Amino acid sequence: MAHNTFDTLQSYPLASGKTASFYSLPALARRFPNINRLPVSIRIVLESVLRNCDGKKVTETHIEQLANWAPNAKRVDEIPFIVARVVLQDFTGVPLLADLAAMRNVAADLGKNPKRIEPLVPVDLVVDHSVMIDHYGDVAALDLNMKLEFSRNRERYQFMKWGMQAFDTFKVVPPGIGIVHQVNLEYLARGVHQKADGDRTIYYPDTLVGTDSHTTMINGIGVVGWGVGGIEAEAGMLGQPVYFLTPDVVGVHLKGKLREGVTATDLVLRVTELLRATKVVGKFVEFFGEGTQSLALPDRATIANMAPEYGATMGFFPVDEKTIEYFRGSGRTDEEIDAFEKYFRAQELFGIPAAGQLDYSQVVELDLDTIVPSLAGPKRPQDRIELTGMKQTFETLFSAPVKENGFNKKPEDLKTEVQAGDVKIHNGDVLIAAITSCTNTSNPGVLLAAGLVAKKAVEKGLTVAPHIKTSLAPGSRVVSEYLARTGLLPYLESLGFAVAAYGCTTCIGNAGDLRPEFNEAIVENDLVCAAVLSGNRNFEARIHPNIRANFLASPPLVVAYAIAGSVLKDLTKEPVAKNRDGEDVWLKDIWPTTQEVHDLMHFAMDADTFRRLYSNLTKDHPLWNAVPSAEGQVYDWPKSTYIAQPPFFAGFGMEPAPVPKIRNARIMALFGDSITTDHISPAGSIKETSPAGKYLLANDVTKADFNSYGSRRGNHDVMMRGTFANVRIKNLMLPAKPDGSREEGGMTLHQPDGERLAIYDAAMKYMADGVPTVILAGEEYGTGSSRDWAAKGTQLLGVKAVVARSFERIHRSNLVGMGVLPLQFRNNDSWESLGIKGDEVIDIVVPDELVPQQEINMTVRRADGSSFEVSLLSRIDTAIEVDYYLHGGILPFVLRELMAA
């Protein structure tokens, strides 16, 4: 029922003659004048708190606290944020659906109606992570890759179809439609929502969380939303608010305009570098000023998409005329657009704020005129390299120490040449060139620029060497449509950039394999070869386990480097290549002007195209339509190596167990800085010799049918065996090699016997002996994708606590959500400074009365009998997280609430 807290229930007229009711922030500002100076993103969150005030989970106190947000106050208030909807990608969505199905099993076992477990907000799952680039370089690649995708993932798709019929508010966007964030931007986001309430219709803004960190792309159209782990999203679906501490808001004042020939990708790489250095982790970032106003909406979305890379919770752009223009061009209805624009005008939230108009915790300035063509890499997205310095940077990093982001090779080895089959390969050779990822394929400006580079290059007689794995994976079918209509697609195809898939592909590690002789040559000769991709992440072993140097670049630069064939070619001082007549062709000869790109933009924003392609997602989709669906409200779990009943509710009871005690624990691993969720969570290909590979072989799965860890996220037996098994992870408990380098791969020393085992095998041995374990780490533990399996796998391996110098936002909350205690070293303490080696015994004194962010002591007993205590900060940050931890995790907490109702 609608309420009228603080006399804020107001209305405004629509063009249709209807009246829209809404909870008015200008009306609330009469009581709390501070609202008029609040950042736009905070005000949209405030609207949700106001509208959902029920006196229980959301109270008037919450409204007052947020309405009185101050730029530099101490952040202790907890916001209960109820979102309008949830979006999922399939790698995280399948295990989430498995959890929901398992909760229905519990409900049935307790004699309750299984329909108690039902999403209370709309949920859309977009299948985009499954497809791999097995076939590439010709126009048949898309069809062949789709057929392989369906043959590998049939069991998963059957499960999704069961979910669609079992849950009323759960919908699936089938494979082959696009990437979740681009589909969200182009289709799922409707601007404002409406809900009937008696004789009123309440209108409210689109807000969401998504189970992928790049959910922030939607911030580009003024939608408040960010990535969370699957377990948080699941709780939100089941009626729990998303709880978070009131954030700081960093305002980014963009000035000026981009120079001729500079792309949105160049801009976002500079923004990522700048804001990562500004330390915006866990904060909202909001863009304002005349430079912001000048940016086209796809450019805003590109910047918003990369918020996880600069560490922010959001990268938010307010709604203005360009937002409305995008909605019109992408096929939204006149009625939707009218309601959307009038809502934001009624809330006095329409338009890009000018400098000084609003209050921010901190203001950062960036002049768009200073942006230059750039790449980022070779291991992190924030490590920007200007195009002019690319060759020199690679040469320097080749022999630089690993701790300085280098490869620790001898300088004289740079020119090593190796015969690999019929091809000679060298350090710095580009072996993968991929136009991929929602970050850039959502942006017509850079996609059209790539097509124009291809056209000019072909007309100049340039080609791409056939051994380079080239691919074009648009974020939606709209992209290939406008590339075809502009006549640019044939030129891309002739260079090997034929459409290979509609999905994330290379950006998430689904590049497919290299030629076997390349793998052998790289491994045997320790070559540092390169990938150039228009993606958003380039962490170690993410793109391909044998490609060590990975560079993020704009789509037109991807095409240019594919033609050049090596990152050791200076594209600003050397020809890109020689044509068939032996003539030099330079980058300036094939680079399009801003006007050339602009002249084609109308092809990309054709409303009829959007409406046609999104009107019926299963039309002309025989592969999806042929997948059968199980029936019933409770899932009957078949024997499968893809989908298995999760173990998280084993022994479930209505009363939680006592506060966990962590005594006589052993150290599972000692990690350094920047351990990402790619390192922790199983991702990419499965090796035969790994614990997961051995498990699949034992279950009669052949190597050819292993698929990827991501596709098997619905099976905990596979996933827990792959946790901490990344080929590049370094457990510093293991002794250094004679040359001082550290061993890579998921190994540990089992204590006290010192036996060298895979982390999974050691974990099973500890658990069999009733020994708890802990992990110690450095700065930025858990950066990267919002992979809930990084926390689920940690819990299933028996790890009770992770002690780190600092945590990434999503992974920290996911650890709490799985009942794993996150603890932070205080001051300058670290496991290195404390002299911890890995053979110690650990006691962590968890108080019976837990409160947020309290001091917790850890006792360390050395092998020689000596001991010492160290004070740690509990990173259970909020009161609701205390409840989650005490219940053994967020899912048992929510399930007990639902069963008690």
Side-chain angles (χ1 to χ4, degrees):
M1 285 290 293
H3 57 86
N4 197 14
T5 304
F6 299 126
D7 196 26
T8 54
L9 187 57
Q10 307 282 314
S11 63
Y12 62 92
L14 297 170
S16 63
K18 298 177 183 176
T19 297
S21 297
F22 75 115
Y23 283 90
S24 170
L25 295 174
L28 188 63
R30 290 196 288 268
R31 180 169 182 129
F32 303 103
N34 182 60
I35 288 173
N36 295 320
R37 299 283 302 178
L38 294 183
V40 175
S41 53
I42 291 291
R43 281 190 264 178
I44 292 175
V45 175
L46 176 59
E47 186 279 341
S48 171
V49 175
L50 172 63
R51 175 169 39 86
N52 290 291
C53 182
D54 61 0
K56 297 174 184 176
K57 288 178 179 174
V58 185
T59 66
E60 290 188 8
T61 300
H62 290 123
I63 298 170
E64 293 174 21
Q65 288 171 342
L66 194 54
N68 289 315
W69 180 91
N72 296 300
K74 186 177 180 182
R75 303 302 179 201
V76 295
D77 295 333
E78 186 179 47
I79 301 172
F81 181 41
I82 295 177
V83 296
R85 60 191 178 94
V86 173
V87 294
L88 317 172
Q89 43 94 329
D90 58 308
F91 274 12
T92 49
V94 166
L96 184 151
L97 181 59
D99 289 343
L100 287 176
M103 293 170 83
R104 281 201 168 178
N105 289 124
V106 173
D109 290 344
L110 293 175
K112 306 285 187 180
N113 183 356
K115 290 290 283 183
R116 286 194 182 194
I117 312 300
E118 181 74 41
L120 300 179
V121 298
V123 180
D124 292 287
L125 185 154
V126 181
V127 185
D128 61 356
H129 276 49
S130 303
V131 67
M132 300 179 74
I133 305 297
D134 292 287
H135 298 275
Y136 65 97
D138 64 65
V139 293
L142 174 63
D143 181 59
L144 293 171
N145 287 330
M146 283 277 288
K147 286 175 178 173
L148 275 173
E149 176 184 8
F150 273 82
S151 68
R152 289 168 175 156
N153 295 281
R154 186 177 177 86
E155 292 175 48
R156 299 170 68 240
Y157 298 161
Q158 285 179 275
F159 185 51
M160 290 178 199
K161 280 198 165 182
W162 169 80
M164 289 175 71
Q165 65 83 37
F167 297 99
D168 297 336
T169 53
F170 179 85
K171 293 182 172 58
V172 175
V173 176
I177 302 300
I179 302 175
V180 57
H181 310 305
Q182 189 164 341
V183 172
N184 195 16
L185 191 75
E186 294 177 349
Y187 170 62
L188 296 176
R190 311 316 294 182
V192 293
H193 296 265
Q194 52 183 288
K195 186 175 184 179
D197 189 291
D199 58 355
R200 294 187 182 89
T201 302
I202 306 292
Y203 282 69
Y204 55 99
D206 189 15
T207 57
L208 71 149
V209 290
T211 58
D212 190 287
S213 47
H214 295 99
T215 299
T216 53
M217 186 173 192
I218 206 66
N219 304 157
I221 58 171
V223 174
V224 166
W226 54 85
V228 297
I231 46 183
E232 284 182 279
E234 191 170 344
M237 287 160 48
L238 295 172
Q240 290 293 308
V242 176
Y243 291 94
F244 63 102
L245 287 177
T246 305
D248 287 336
V249 183
V250 176
V252 178
H253 183 192
L254 297 181
K255 300 178 176 180
K257 290 188 177 182
L258 293 175
R259 297 183 195 175
E260 173 67 35
V262 173
T263 69
T265 313
D266 302 321
L267 170 58
V268 79
L269 293 179
R270 175 67 184 115
V271 169
T272 301
E273 176 189 49
L274 173 67
L275 293 180
R276 180 60 76 168
T278 305
K279 299 188 183 302
V280 298
V281 173
K283 301 176 183 179
F284 286 8
V285 166
E286 184 167 308
F287 294 85
F288 68 93
E290 65 278 14
T292 300
Q293 199 168 5
S294 76
L295 292 176
L297 191 128
D299 294 353
R300 300 177 188 181
T302 297
I303 295 169
N305 180 289
M306 288 286 275
E309 275 58 68
Y310 44 85
T313 302
M314 287 200 302
F316 182 81
F317 290 81
V319 172
D320 70 349
E321 289 83 358
K322 289 190 176 175
T323 320
I324 302 302
E325 180 184 316
Y326 180 83
F327 265 54
R328 189 167 288 114
S330 55
R332 272 73 170 194
T333 67
D334 290 341
E335 186 177 356
E336 286 177 311
I337 293 167
D338 176 64
F340 180 40
E341 180 173 357
K342 285 182 176 173
Y343 178 87
F344 276 84
R345 289 190 183 279
Q347 290 285 30
E348 298 179 6
L349 295 175
F350 193 88
I352 302 295
Q357 186 176 339
L358 303 179
D359 294 329
Y360 297 103
S361 307
Q362 179 184 1
V363 171
V364 179
E365 294 189 345
L366 178 62
D367 188 343
L368 300 184
D369 188 54
T370 64
I371 305 303
V372 295
S374 303
L375 299 89
K379 300 177 184 178
R380 301 188 306 177
Q382 65 263 39
D383 295 327
R384 187 179 66 92
I385 306 165
E386 293 187 6
L387 181 61
T388 54
M390 180 65 178
K391 177 182 178 180
Q392 182 181 349
T393 299
F394 184 84
E395 290 175 342
T396 301
L397 291 175
F398 184 76
S399 54
V402 172
K403 66 181 179 181
E404 295 175 15
N405 221 21
F407 298 102
N408 202 33
K409 302 279 291 174
K410 296 176 182 177
E412 58 267 27
D413 290 342
L414 183 63
K415 299 189 183 299
T416 298
E417 181 177 86
V418 177
Q419 192 73 37
D422 59 351
V423 177
K424 291 179 179 179
I425 60 175
H426 317 77
N427 291 298
D429 276 4
V430 175
L431 297 183
I432 292 176
I435 299 174
T436 179
S437 168
C438 52
T439 308
N440 286 295
T441 66
S442 62
N443 192 314
V446 290
L447 265 296
L448 291 168
L452 287 166
V453 168
K455 180 176 186 291
K456 291 170 183 275
V458 170
E459 290 172 345
K460 293 283 185 183
L462 299 182
T463 59
V464 173
H467 70 269
I468 297 175
K469 191 163 192 176
T470 48
S471 60
L472 168 59
S476 81
R477 297 176 298 175
V478 172
V479 175
S480 49
E481 181 97 2
Y482 67 69
L483 287 175
R485 291 178 65 202
T486 55
L488 297 177
L489 189 57
Y491 294 103
L492 286 162
E493 290 170 345
S494 69
L495 294 180
F497 290 97
V499 174
Y502 294 102
C504 303
T505 65
T506 305
C507 186
I508 57 145
N510 281 358
D513 208 356
L514 300 175
R515 286 159 56 169
E517 60 268 30
F518 287 7
N519 285 324
E520 291 169 14
I522 292 169
V523 173
E524 289 176 10
N525 298 278
D526 198 24
L527 294 179
V528 183
C529 295
V532 182
L533 65 147
S534 62
N536 47 49
R537 291 208 169 125
N538 52 350
F539 301 134
E540 292 179 290
R542 181 184 180 94
I543 307 306
H544 187 281
N546 292 332
I547 300 287
R548 297 174 64 187
N550 301 286
F551 296 96
L552 307 182
S554 65
L557 270 182
V558 171
V559 176
Y561 270 104
I563 296 167
S566 173
V567 295
L568 282 168
K569 185 173 285 189
D570 186 342
L571 299 188
T572 64
K573 296 177 182 176
E574 302 174 57
V576 176
K578 289 183 183 294
N579 66 15
R580 62 176 66 93
D581 298 323
E583 299 168 335
D584 289 340
V585 179
W586 299 77
L587 186 62
K588 64 182 175 59
D589 297 329
I590 60 174
W591 201 260
T593 66
T594 302
Q595 188 61 46
E596 286 176 313
V597 174
H598 184 266
D599 287 345
L600 298 176
M601 285 296 287
H602 67 279
F603 287 101
M605 295 307 298
D606 179 71
D608 289 340
T609 298
F610 282 85
R611 282 192 283 264
R612 173 170 52 82
L613 291 177
Y614 283 115
S615 63
N616 187 338
L617 301 182
T618 61
K619 184 176 182 288
D620 301 322
H621 203 328
L623 290 171
W624 176 255
N625 294 333
V627 175
S629 170
E631 301 295 323
Q633 296 302 307
V634 178
Y635 193 62
D636 184 15
W637 301 90
K639 181 174 173 54
S640 167
T641 55
Y642 277 98
I643 307 294
Q645 185 169 357
F648 307 121
F649 305 105
F652 177 84
M654 289 302 291
E655 291 299 322
V659 178
K661 303 299 180 186
I662 305 173
R663 296 195 181 101
N664 299 316
R666 287 292 184 174
I667 299 172
M668 182 70 79
L670 298 173
F671 293 130
D673 296 339
S674 299
I675 294 296
T676 71
T677 50
D678 278 21
H679 288 119
I680 305 166
S681 177
S685 60
I686 302 172
K687 291 185 176 294
E688 287 179 280
T689 55
S690 68
K694 292 175 183 176
Y695 169 81
L696 291 173
L697 290 171
N699 281 272
D700 301 322
V701 179
T702 64
K703 175 67 172 73
D705 294 327
F706 274 11
N707 210 332
S708 66
Y709 279 114
S711 295
R712 293 187 180 275
R713 278 192 183 184
N715 187 304
H716 60 276
D717 283 315
V718 173
M719 297 303 286
M720 62 192 290
R721 285 168 170 80
T723 304
F724 297 110
N726 184 288
V727 295
R728 293 284 176 258
I729 199 169
K730 298 181 183 72
N731 183 356
L732 302 179
M733 184 192 300
L734 300 171
K737 297 178 182 178
D739 64 358
S741 64
R742 310 300 300 216
E743 181 178 346
E744 294 179 326
M747 305 299 292
T748 192
L749 299 179
H750 179 270
Q751 303 296 344
D753 52 39
E755 183 182 3
R756 185 178 177 279
L757 295 172
I759 285 178
Y760 169 78
D761 293 326
M764 294 303 100
K765 198 169 181 179
Y766 282 129
M767 291 175 74
D769 294 339
V771 177
T773 54
V774 298
I775 285 171
L776 305 184
E779 299 274 2
E780 297 182 338
Y781 184 79
T783 58
S785 302
S786 56
R787 290 190 166 136
D788 54 338
W789 265 109
K792 286 180 173 178
T794 299
Q795 187 240 48
L796 290 177
L797 292 180
V799 175
K800 302 302 181 186
V802 176
V803 187
R805 289 273 298 147
S806 64
F807 291 90
E808 191 274 340
R809 175 184 64 85
I810 299 175
H811 186 59
R812 182 208 61 79
S813 65
N814 280 349
L815 288 172
V816 177
M818 290 309 300
V820 178
L821 180 62
L823 299 168
Q824 192 165 311
F825 287 110
R826 301 169 73 98
N827 304 317
N828 293 320
D829 284 346
S830 65
W831 64 261
E832 296 101 324
S833 71
L834 296 169
I836 295 174
K837 297 177 182 177
D839 59 354
E840 295 84 357
V841 175
I842 303 292
D843 290 336
I844 296 174
V845 183
V846 183
D848 289 331
E849 297 296 326
L850 274 177
V851 295
Q853 295 198 334
Q854 70 194 111
E855 179 180 324
I856 290 182
N857 289 328
M858 178 172 75
T859 302
V860 181
R861 301 200 302 275
R862 300 191 191 277
D864 63 8
S866 63
S867 65
F868 64 92
E869 278 197 0
V870 59
S871 173
L872 306 170
L873 174 68
S874 167
R875 288 305 311 276
I876 297 179
D877 284 355
T878 65
I880 191 64
E881 286 187 341
V882 171
D883 288 338
Y884 294 160
Y885 181 73
L886 293 177
H887 279 258
I890 193 170
L891 298 183
F893 173 84
V894 173
L895 185 55
R896 289 186 179 105
E897 271 207 344
L898 293 171
M899 291 301 97

